[in-house]
Amino acid sequence: EGNLYGRGSCDMKGSIAMIMALSETLVKEKKFNNVFLLFDVDEEYQFKGVKKFLQETKIKPELVICCEPTDLKISNKHRGLFEIEITSYGLSAHAGKALQGINAIEILTEALRQVSAEIISDKYTDKELGNSSFNLAYLKGGKEGTYNSVPSETIAVVDIRPTPKLTDKIVEKLIRDEIFNKTKKTFESRKNLINKSFEEIFKQPELKFNINYGALFCEEKNISEFTKICKKHMKEVEFAMSTGFTEAGILASKLKVPAFNFGPSFKSTTHTVEENVKITDLVIMHEILKEFLASISQ
């Protein structure tokens, strides 16, 4: 019924097939100057492919188009992405005398609850991108088999989608300050039982930004020619914000160029065995990109 089915058909095999057909068309018509095609791996997780590309490339594009599924809308904005690994410390003690210790798991989770409330508040709202988001994605603490002791160390990984107002420096300070404050407050409430000074027991948390990218925002005036061509092939042209994070954001941030996403209909079945893509969407994309790339290659 006009659809191609299978895992990855929409995200991204359909677009890859369309680009392969497009490149063949442009080569035959000798309209393939000034165009570079990038295919890379690991876009869903650690972005290993695009990181490798950025380490080695000498290419300085004027514009980047990523063919992520967008319902044939021009997705020209989304929030950034911070993935932060945090190692926080407490003070071990016998479980029967828990008040002589400081539970690292409790300190970190309580601190991150406060950090989350601050980050998602209206304080960092952006008129284009809305509020930042916060997700405690991973937590590990204590030692297996030693449940009779207060855990002195815990590790968490948080996923934050920041607006431009929320910088990595702000986030790091928030986390460090909250961990310090929670530890200090806990210490003060039991310092008569802990026969050490705060300076002796407090250890600075370790923070590692595994991923650190800012927000994507491509001004409509920078892609007016592309928009004009879209209007010739579609009834209406819409601009949209992506709730996720894409390589358009990485390339725009690192290469300092306009970038946006434009791709086929996005469905709830994406990433499942029922995934599918409309053939007509791929045809429309092919014709739009063919005309646009030909226009800039003359």
Side-chain angles (χ1 to χ4, degrees):
E1 298 178 348
N3 294 331
L4 295 171
Y5 283 82
R7 190 188 295 273
S9 54
C10 182
D11 183 16
M12 291 277 296
K13 294 172 185 173
S15 292
I16 290 173
M18 179 278 301
I19 291 169
M20 291 169 69
L22 175 67
S23 63
E24 186 176 15
T25 301
L26 293 176
V27 167
K28 284 180 180 177
E29 296 181 6
K30 298 182 180 179
K31 294 179 179 178
F32 205 54
N33 301 320
N34 305 321
V35 177
F36 183 87
L37 304 180
L38 171 62
F39 301 89
D40 66 89
V41 300
D42 198 40
E43 179 268 341
E44 297 286 354
Y45 299 101
Q46 296 298 320
F47 308 105
K48 292 176 184 176
V50 74
K51 286 179 179 177
K52 181 73 170 176
F53 167 75
L54 289 168
Q55 287 170 2
E56 299 182 354
T57 188
K58 295 180 180 178
I59 296 165
K60 296 295 180 184
E62 295 178 19
L63 177 69
V64 173
I65 304 174
C66 291
C67 294
E68 288 274 3
T70 66
D71 288 327
L72 292 181
K73 297 174 183 178
I74 299 173
S75 179
N76 62 326
K77 53 194 171 187
H78 60 60
R79 295 168 300 184
L81 174 59
F82 300 152
E83 183 185 284
I84 312 168
E85 183 177 316
I86 308 158
T87 304
S88 184
Y89 303 95
L91 178 66
S92 186
H94 191 283
K97 298 179 179 179
L99 294 181
Q100 292 182 1
I102 295 178
N103 190 309
I105 298 173
E106 292 177 359
I107 293 293
L108 184 56
T109 53
E110 289 172 12
L112 291 180
R113 189 175 291 112
Q114 289 298 117
V115 170
S116 174
E118 174 79 2
I119 283 174
I120 67 175
S121 71
D122 292 341
K123 184 175 181 179
Y124 302 104
T125 298
D126 180 87
K127 65 179 182 179
E128 296 285 348
L129 301 172
N131 285 22
S132 299
S133 70
F134 180 98
N135 179 47
L136 174 55
Y138 175 84
L139 183 69
K140 180 181 179 181
K143 293 183 180 179
E144 189 171 354
T146 58
Y147 309 127
N148 64 342
S149 63
V150 174
S152 61
E153 180 178 329
T154 188
I155 298 172
V157 178
V158 297
D159 179 303
I160 298 169
R161 305 299 169 100
T163 66
K165 293 181 181 179
L166 183 66
T167 67
D168 53 358
K169 289 183 174 57
I170 291 173
V171 171
E172 180 168 354
K173 187 175 188 305
L174 281 172
I175 293 172
R176 290 190 181 280
D177 285 354
E178 282 299 330
I179 291 173
F180 177 88
N181 292 337
K182 295 295 181 189
T183 308
K184 181 73 170 176
K185 184 178 179 180
T186 302
F187 172 82
E188 289 296 330
S189 69
R190 17 181 119 161
K191 61 182 179 181
N192 293 334
L193 299 172
I194 301 173
N195 297 316
K196 292 182 180 180
S197 67
F198 181 74
E199 289 71 26
E200 287 179 286
I201 66 101
F202 181 72
K203 184 177 179 181
Q204 285 287 350
E206 298 168 18
L207 269 67
K208 178 184 176 185
F209 280 78
N210 295 326
I211 300 174
N212 186 348
Y213 295 115
L216 168 70
F217 186 76
C218 179
E219 295 187 51
E220 293 179 21
K221 67 180 182 180
N222 290 330
I223 49 177
S224 57
E225 180 64 25
F226 183 83
T227 305
K228 184 169 70 175
I229 292 171
C230 284
K231 288 178 180 178
K232 293 168 61 176
H233 294 271
M234 298 190 294
K235 290 181 180 179
E236 59 179 334
V237 176
E238 293 184 56
F239 289 85
M241 170 188 164
S242 170
T243 55
F245 181 83
T246 71
E247 289 180 339
I250 298 175
L251 294 166
S253 174
K254 297 301 180 183
L255 298 177
K256 309 300 181 188
V257 296
F260 64 94
N261 294 290
F262 179 72
S265 295
F266 186 82
K267 304 177 181 69
S268 59
T269 57
T270 302
H271 293 201
T272 73
V273 292
E274 290 83 22
E275 184 173 345
N276 60 89
V277 63
K278 290 181 181 177
I279 297 172
T280 53
D281 282 7
L282 301 180
V283 172
I284 290 169
M285 288 176 65
H286 181 278
E287 293 307 303
I288 290 172
L289 288 168
K290 174 185 172 183
E291 187 173 342
F292 176 71
L293 295 179
S295 73
I296 65 171
S297 298
Q298 294 172 356

